Amino acid sequence: MTKNIDNNRRSFLKVTAAAGGGMMIGFNFLGCEAKPRIAEFVAPNLEVPSKWNTLNGFLKIGENGVVTIMSPNPEIGQNVKTSMPMIVAEELDADWDRVIVEQADLDTDNFVRQIAGGSQSIRFGWKSLRETGAKARHMLLTAASEQLAVPMEELTTNKGKIYHKASDTVLDYGEVATAAASIEVPKDIALKDPKEFNIIGKSTKNVDGFNIAQGKPLFGLDIMEDGMKIAMIEHPPAFGMKIKSLDDSAAKVMAGISDVIRINVEPQGWNPQWSDVNAYPELVAVVGESTWQVMKAKKALKIEWEQDSDLESSAGHVATMEEALSSGKGEVARTDGDPDAAFADAAQVIEKTYTAPFLAHNTMEPMNFYANVTDDKAELVGPIQTPQFLEGTIEGVLGIPKENITIKMTRMGGGFGRRLYGHFGTEAALISKAVSAPVKLVYSREDDMTQGTYRPAYMVTYKAGLDDDGNLTAFQIKGAGIPGSPVFANRYPAGAVDNYTVENYQVATNISTGAWRAPRSNFIATAEQSFLDEVAEAAGKDPIDFRIALFERAQNNPVGADNDYDAERYAGVLKLVKEKSGWGTDTPGVYRGVSAYYCHNSYVAQVLDVALEDGLPKLKKVYCAVDCGIVVNPEGAINQIEGGIVDGIGHAMYSTLSFEDGVPQQSNFDKYRLIRHAEAPEVIEVHFVDNGIDPTGLGEPSLPPIGAALANALYKATGTRMYRQPYVDQVKLLG
Amino acid sequence: MAQFNLTVNGQSHQVDVDADTPILWVLRDTLKLVGTKYGCGIAQCGACTIHVDGKAARSCSLPIGAAEGKKITTIEGLSEDGSHPVQQAWIKHDVPQCGYCQAGQIMTASAFLAENKNPTDSEIVEAMNGNICRCGTYTRIKAAVKSAAENV
Ligand code: FES
Ligand code: FES
C-alpha cells in the first residue's frame, strides 16, 4: 500500500526561482533530459528531496518536508490543477509554499473520474480529496506520536509542521514522513470544520501561471521527441462525403514527406463508446519532417470524394426544425395541470420562437496528439478531457491491452467539450503504428473547425398565458434541435406554473455534434430568460420581481415533485445581483438587462449594462451573483466566471457555423467571428453567496444566462428583441 | 531548401528550410522554441506574435526570408527569468485560463508598452484587439497591461 521511492526519476529536475510566488509544477512527461521537453519544473526556492515517501496515490513527502500533490484531472483552463491540490493540502495542513503540484497520468488504480467535463471535478472530488489529505495527516501524526512517545491528542498541525505544546517540540512533516509511509492508511477520518480552512477560500495563483508567462512547453502541440514525425490529416470537405480514391503521387515526393496513408478509426466490428464521435472515420494522413512541409504536401493531395449521405444546408436546418415544431409529433416530457384550458382562458397569450446556429468549439490550441505505438505497446501524450475513454478506444481499435497503454495528459489550450471526443488520439496511434515511428498529429485550424463535434443547432417556441393581473397561468415549451431538443423539462419555471407542458423534437443529421460548454443550457437559458423578460413586460412587472414571485411560488407551493432546482437559492442570486447592481436606479444612456439560470448545480444571476456609442452597443459592465457553495479558490473562480461571461456574450452575439451542401462555411477566424477585446464587457464584477454548502460546478454556469442579459439590455437600448443568434445580424440591421 | 541566417533572442542560427516556411514553424519545429503558438496561420488570432526589431509581428504569416538581418525576439527571450514587467503583471493578475494565447498576448503587450509608456484604456484595448483569447480573459489582460505600464 505504501512505499518509498528513490528520486532517480527526478534527477533531471530543473529548479528555478519563481518570482511573484508560485509553485513548482509540472514534470517531464517524456522523461528525457537532453532535448526540448514538455512541462519543465519551476520552483520557488524549493529544494527537491532526494527521496520521496509515498503516503497514497496523491501524496509524496520528501525528507525535507516538501510535499508533492498529484493533480488527477485534466486541466483545460478551468484551473483544477490548482484547486484540486488545494483541497488535499487543506486537510493535510500543508504549507502551500512548499507544495509541488504534479499532473497525474491516467491511473485508474489511484484515481477516479479523471475527466474534465460537466463542471464536476470539484463537486465529485470534494470529499475524496479532503479525505486523502486528512488521512495522510493522520498518518504523519501517528508517526510523530510514536516518535515523541506522546498521545496523538496532544499534537496539533499547522503549515507542514507538527507541534507538541507541552514539551515545546516542533517536527517538520519531512522528519516523520518515512515512518508515516509505513503506517496503515486509516479507514475513517474526521474532516475539518470549514471554519478552520486556511487554504481553501484564499485566492491562490495558478500553479502554471509562471510557466505560461514564460512560454514554457506545456501543451500537447509543444511535444518534441527524438525521431518524432509530424502527421496531419485530410478529411472529406463535406459532411455526407467520404474518400473515393487517393492520388498521392505528387505529395509523396515532396521534400520532407515520408508517408501518405489511409487510416480508419472505426474498423469493422468495433463497437464505439459515447466518446467516439466522429463524422469521418476514414482519413488520409500525411507524415513528414516538419509541420510546414506536411501542410504543403496536404495541398498537393489529389483526393476524389464521393457522397454517401445527405449534404445538409443551414437554410434546410431551419426549415426542418420549423416543420418539426409544427408537426405536433413531439415527445411530451412533462405536463402539469391543463395547459390547453389555461391558454384558452388567458387574458393574454405571448408566443415567441428563438433559434441558434451550430457552433464550433475552436479551442485556441487545435486538436493534436502524440503517439508512439510499438508492437504491443502504446504511449500517448496530449490534450484529452477523457483519458480513460481514449484508453478504451485504443484498446478496441488497435487491439493493445490496457495494461500496455500509457496515457499522459498535457495542459490543454482550451477544451469547452471538444476534447471529450478523442478521435485525434486514436488517429495519432494508428498513424504511429502504420509508419512505425513516434508521431505528433497536428490539426490545422481549418482541419479543426471543419471537423467538429459541434454545438447542435436549436429552435424553441415558448408560449405563456397571463391572467388579468399579469400572473403567469400557463406555460408551454416546444424544443427542437439538430439532433436533440435543448429543453430541460424539470427546470424553472417548471414548479412555478400550474399549467405547464414541454414537448421535445429531434431532427436527425449526419453532422457530428457533441457537448459544448454547458450543453443545451448554453442555448436554452438565453431563450428562456429572454422570453421571461418579454412576458414580465407584457404583465407590466419588473423583470426581477416577476421572476422572484415565481420562485416564491415554487418554494412555498411547488407544482409537481420533480423540480430540479432550489427556488430559495435561485431567488437568492437574483436578490444579490439586484442589490449589488443597484437595480431600479436609472443612469441616463445606460440600458440594463437581467437574467438568471441554474445548471451544473450552481446558481447565477447577472445584470448587464449596455450603452450606445455611435449607434453601436458598448458593453459597460456586468454584475454577476453566483451561488456555487464554498469557493475553493476565489481568484480562479472569478476568472472562470469572467471567462464564461465573455464566452457567452461572444457566441450569442457574433458566432455561427453554417453549412452549404454539407460544407462548413467558416473554416478559420477570418470568417468565424470570435469575440475580441473591444467587444468584451469593460468591467465584470462578481459576488459570491457565502453559505458554506459543499462546492458545485463553476466552469460552465456563468455562460448560459449572459446571452439573455445581453438580449434584454439590447432590447432596452434598441427596442428590438433578439430572437435569432447571433444577435449581431439584427444589431447591424438596426445600425 | 535554402539556408537562412537568423538572430533569435540574441543568438545566431543558421537554418536550412524551404524558402516559403513561415518564421513560426522555423521557431517551433527547427529551433524548438515552442513558446510561440500556432492558432490560425492566417494572421487573425495573434497567438504567434513575436517581435521583429522590437515591433510586434505575426510569425505565422512572415516567410523566413523576412527574418534575415532582423532581430527576432520570442516569448522565451523576452526575459531570461520571467522578470519582464509584462510577465510579472500577468502573474500578478493571474491572467491565464488555458494559457495558450498568452504568449502572444504578452508579446503584443510588451511591444505596445515599449512605444506607449502611458496608455489610456482605449489605447490598450485597441492595441490588444488583434489577439483572440478564446477563454475570455480580456478584462484581466487589460488590467495586467495597465499595471505593467507603471513598471516598464
Ligand atoms: S497563428 Fe498567427 S495570427 Fe493566428
Ligand atoms: S487563456 Fe485560453 S485562449 Fe487565452
Side-chain angles (χ1 to χ4, degrees):
Chain A
M1 173 73 80
T2 56
K3 51 187 180 284
N4 299 333
I5 49 169
D6 285 330
N7 195 16
N8 49 10
R9 188 164 91 83
R10 314 212 149 254
S11 55
F12 56 81
L13 295 189
K14 192 177 147 206
V15 182
T16 36
M23 287 183 312
M24 185 155 160
I25 56 136
F27 65 109
N28 184 334
F29 281 123
L30 301 172
C32 302
E33 280 178 78
K35 53 188 182 284
R37 317 118 288 244
I38 181 126
E40 288 182 347
F41 271 98
V42 177
N45 313 317
L46 279 189
E47 261 190 48
V48 177
S50 58
K51 200 180 106 187
W52 289 102
N53 301 289
T54 301
L55 271 68
N56 55 43
F58 277 89
L59 271 171
K60 290 180 286 204
I61 303 184
E63 81 285 345
N64 62 352
V66 169
V67 177
T68 292
I69 303 180
M70 304 305 289
S71 178
N73 282 23
E75 172 63 62
I76 57 177
Q78 82 282 43
N79 211 8
V80 288
K81 194 169 169 185
T82 306
S83 52
M84 293 180 89
M86 280 173 72
I87 298 171
V88 177
E90 176 68 66
E91 293 284 350
L92 178 66
D93 246 350
D95 177 359
W96 184 251
D97 291 335
R98 302 179 75 212
V99 168
I100 295 169
V101 176
E102 195 174 301
Q103 174 69 54
D105 296 347
L106 173 66
D107 178 354
T108 46
D109 292 338
N110 270 314
F111 309 112
V112 289
R113 203 184 180 281
Q114 287 182 282
I115 293 176
S119 294
Q120 300 300 339
S121 294
I122 297 293
R123 179 167 172 249
F124 282 115
W126 179 243
K127 189 159 173 267
S128 63
L129 293 169
R130 290 179 70 192
E131 284 177 356
T132 296
K135 285 177 182 173
R137 176 177 168 274
H138 191 271
M139 288 153 76
L140 292 163
L141 281 173
T142 310
S145 116
E146 279 168 18
Q147 186 171 324
L148 301 175
V150 299
M152 210 161 95
E153 296 68 47
E154 291 178 13
L155 299 173
T156 57
T157 56
N158 186 32
K159 281 201 165 189
K161 293 200 167 32
I162 299 166
Y163 295 86
H164 185 244
K165 213 166 163 216
S167 64
D168 210 12
T169 313
V170 185
L171 285 175
D172 191 280
Y173 281 2
E175 295 175 71
V176 290
T178 308
S182 53
I183 285 166
E184 187 146 355
V185 179
K187 280 218 175 55
D188 300 311
I189 194 78
L191 298 175
K192 281 187 181 176
D193 181 332
K195 286 193 199 76
E196 295 165 27
F197 287 165
N198 53 44
I199 294 176
I200 291 171
K202 277 217 186 83
S203 286
T204 301
K205 295 232 183 297
N206 185 332
V207 294
D208 274 344
F210 188 59
N211 275 346
I212 291 167
Q214 289 188 292
K216 295 285 183 199
L218 296 165
F219 301 94
L221 222 43
D222 300 343
I223 292 171
M224 298 281 169
E225 268 294 281
D226 278 345
M228 181 187 89
K229 295 188 169 180
I230 301 290
M232 298 186 81
I233 51 102
E234 187 74 19
H235 62 71
F239 290 85
M241 303 266 250
K242 62 176 190 183
I243 303 172
K244 184 176 180 199
S245 67
L246 164 68
D247 172 1
D248 60 8
S249 51
K252 237 180 176 156
V253 296
M254 288 173 73
I257 300 306
S258 55
D259 304 86
V260 179
I261 54 171
R262 283 168 76 157
I263 57 165
N264 188 345
V265 295
E266 284 177 17
Q268 273 199 337
W270 155 238
N271 198 3
Q273 311 176 83
W274 70 269
S275 57
D276 294 309
V277 178
N278 189 348
Y280 304 123
E282 212 198 345
L283 304 161
V284 175
V286 182
V287 184
E289 294 308 311
S290 75
T291 316
W292 183 247
Q293 289 172 320
V294 176
M295 279 181 170
K296 285 200 293 186
K298 240 161 75 78
K299 294 204 179 94
L301 293 171
K302 293 192 193 74
I303 307 174
E304 250 191 288
W305 311 100
E306 64 186 338
Q307 191 180 338
D308 72 343
S309 57
D310 290 348
L311 302 178
E312 301 174 16
S313 296
S314 292
H317 287 146
V318 171
T320 331
M321 286 193 286
E322 277 169 354
E323 240 167 70
L325 285 180
S326 55
S327 69
K329 291 192 190 130
E331 175 203 325
V332 178
R334 171 167 172 159
T335 304
D336 297 318
D338 186 345
D340 287 344
F343 279 117
D345 284 350
Q348 240 195 108
V349 173
I350 304 138
E351 184 170 357
K352 298 292 170 191
T353 296
Y354 301 80
T355 59
F358 287 94
L359 294 175
H361 293 83
N362 288 330
T363 60
M364 211 65 216
E365 177 195 21
M367 297 308 111
N368 65 84
F369 231 82
Y370 169 88
N372 188 11
V373 177
T374 48
D375 297 340
D376 64 341
K377 276 204 179 64
E379 185 196 30
L380 286 100
V381 188
I384 180 77
Q385 291 179 245
T386 49
Q388 195 174 339
F389 292 94
L390 176 60
E391 184 188 58
T393 301
I394 297 290
E395 180 180 48
V397 173
L398 280 88
I400 296 172
K402 275 192 184 144
E403 55 276 18
N404 290 356
I405 302 170
T406 353
I407 297 188
K408 295 169 192 276
M409 293 171 270
T410 53
R411 186 177 185 85
M412 283 174 251
F416 313 108
R418 179 62 183 89
R419 291 182 163 108
L420 295 166
Y421 312 102
H423 57 87
F424 37 84
T426 317
E427 290 158 17
L430 285 170
I431 298 167
S432 169
K433 187 176 172 184
V435 304
S436 304
V439 300
K440 177 168 66 176
L441 171 68
V442 178
Y443 274 37
S444 70
R445 173 58 59 196
E446 290 81 3
D447 297 334
D448 184 293
M449 203 181 290
T450 57
Q451 187 201 18
T453 51
Y454 305 116
R455 195 282 299 271
Y458 291 124
M459 182 177 287
V460 63
T461 299
Y462 281 94
K463 192 162 125 182
L466 294 169
D467 68 12
D468 285 327
D469 300 324
N471 297 310
L472 186 61
T473 53
F475 205 80
Q476 182 192 57
I477 317 173
K478 286 171 63 167
I482 304 175
S485 167
V487 183
F488 296 87
N490 297 325
R491 282 192 184 169
Y492 177 83
V497 197
D498 286 312
N499 306 290
Y500 171 92
T501 180
V502 171
E503 286 170 32
N504 290 324
Y505 297 81
Q506 322 234 345
V507 177
T509 184
N510 61 11
I511 294 166
S512 44
T513 61
W516 191 104
R517 194 178 192 176
R520 299 195 280 157
S521 302
N522 58 41
F523 166 72
I524 204 68
T526 58
E528 170 201 299
Q529 291 290 307
S530 299
F531 183 66
L532 284 181
D533 207 70
E534 194 163 348
V535 175
E537 187 184 40
K541 295 191 177 155
D542 172 83
I544 292 186
D545 295 344
F546 181 76
R547 287 171 172 82
I548 288 177
L550 292 173
F551 287 126
E552 279 164 5
R553 168 70 206 273
Q555 193 187 338
N556 300 330
N557 182 20
V559 182
D562 295 329
N563 308 314
D564 66 0
Y565 59 93
D566 178 329
E568 197 181 352
R569 290 178 77 183
Y570 220 143
V573 286
L574 261 173
K575 288 175 187 162
L576 183 61
V577 85
K578 182 178 181 180
E579 175 206 325
K580 296 294 180 186
S581 67
W583 182 261
T585 50
D586 286 339
T587 314
V590 174
Y591 307 91
R592 321 195 95 173
V594 66
S595 177
Y597 202 64
Y598 160 78
C599 64
H600 304 89
N601 315 92
S602 294
Y603 301 81
V604 174
Q606 292 152 341
V607 167
L608 186 148
D609 287 354
V610 162
L612 289 180
E613 289 176 9
D614 304 325
L616 285 172
K618 186 88 191 116
L619 277 48
K620 301 308 272 185
K621 185 162 181 177
V622 174
Y623 301 85
C624 183
V626 179
D627 179 352
C628 58
I630 292 169
V631 180
V632 175
N633 182 6
E635 195 63 41
I638 292 169
N639 203 344
Q640 284 309 297
I641 290 161
E642 291 168 346
I645 287 170
V646 172
D647 195 356
I649 290 171
H651 285 92
M653 186 78 182
Y654 300 110
S655 305
T656 197
L657 187 86
S658 58
F659 294 88
E660 285 293 341
D661 296 326
V663 180
Q665 296 301 291
Q666 297 76 21
S667 61
N668 206 324
F669 300 134
D670 51 345
K671 298 236 174 65
Y672 193 107
R673 193 163 164 195
L674 285 175
I675 189 169
R676 287 177 184 271
H677 212 117
E679 294 148 353
E682 284 175 13
V683 181
I684 299 172
E685 196 178 284
V686 179
H687 301 274
F688 292 103
V689 174
D690 182 6
N691 54 16
I693 296 172
D694 285 356
T696 49
L698 204 60
E700 295 166 273
S702 73
L703 185 148
I706 194 69
L710 174 62
N712 298 336
L714 288 174
Y715 166 66
K716 291 282 182 200
T718 64
T720 300
R721 292 275 179 195
M722 303 288 136
Y723 299 113
R724 290 186 313 279
Q725 292 184 24
Y727 306 149
V728 68
D729 299 338
Q730 290 152 82
V731 174
K732 244 189 271 156
L733 291 177
L734 297 167
Chain B
M1 302 275 261
Q3 294 213 329
F4 295 88
N5 294 308
L6 302 179
T7 310
V8 180
N9 301 331
Q11 283 188 9
S12 325
H13 300 271
Q14 200 173 59
V15 297
D16 200 9
V17 296
D18 292 358
D20 58 355
T21 311
I23 297 175
L24 170 68
W25 297 114
V26 177
L27 292 171
R28 290 187 57 87
D29 285 352
T30 314
L31 302 180
K32 317 278 189 227
L33 291 169
V34 294
T36 306
K37 297 297 189 237
Y38 165 72
C40 69
I42 58 164
Q44 289 289 319
C45 75
C48 65
T49 305
I50 57 168
H51 297 172
V52 179
D53 283 345
K55 299 244 184 309
R58 304 271 159 104
S59 66
C60 69
S61 301
L62 279 183
I64 187 63
E68 276 206 298
K70 305 262 169 64
K71 267 176 55 194
I72 304 283
T73 308
T74 70
I75 184 77
E76 291 91 343
L78 191 60
S79 68
E80 262 187 21
D81 50 2
S83 59
H84 188 282
V86 173
Q87 291 171 311
Q88 288 297 307
W90 245 249
I91 293 162
K92 179 173 156 213
H93 290 273
D94 224 358
V95 174
Q97 283 180 38
C98 82
Y100 192 79
C101 73
Q102 301 295 349
Q105 307 276 4
I106 288 170
M107 294 309 280
T108 301
S110 53
F112 165 66
L113 290 178
E115 304 255 295
N116 184 344
K117 306 239 180 310
N118 203 1
T120 62
D121 277 21
S122 61
E123 285 170 338
I124 293 174
V125 168
E126 199 186 315
M128 300 306 298
N129 209 39
N131 285 69
I132 293 174
C133 175
R134 173 66 182 83
C135 299
T137 62
Y138 295 125
T139 49
R140 274 164 202 269
I141 290 171
K142 189 167 61 185
V145 175
K146 259 172 108 157
S147 86
E150 291 158 18
N151 300 313
V152 172

